[in-house]
Amino acid sequence: MGSSKDLTNARWRKSSYSGNTGGECVEVADLGPGVAVRDSKKPEAGILTVSPEVYAAFMTFVTA
């Protein structure tokens, strides 16, 4: 996915896999052709965009 995607209107949601202690906050946004991931505590630090297949594989690995 390209690095110049305009995510101004992205609808971010906190991942259900994030902890409730405030230390592990991941937000995701469905981009249609992909998924964006960022740290909710530091959204300006950067955004990772991946295909839905890569995101699904990542979630399978993390939850295993």
Side-chain angles (χ1 to χ4, degrees), residues 1-7 47 49:
M1 302 204 63
S3 60
S4 62
K5 226 174 214 340
D6 179 13
L7 300 176
I47 297 169
T49 56

Side-chain angles (χ1 to χ4, degrees), residues 2 4-5 8 11 14 16-17 28 31-34 36 39 43 45-48 50 58 63:
S4 62
K5 226 174 214 340
T8 308
R11 301 184 89 192
K14 184 176 176 183
S16 61
Y17 294 98
V28 296
L31 305 178
D39 182 344
I47 297 169
L48 174 67
V50 296
F58 171 72
T63 58

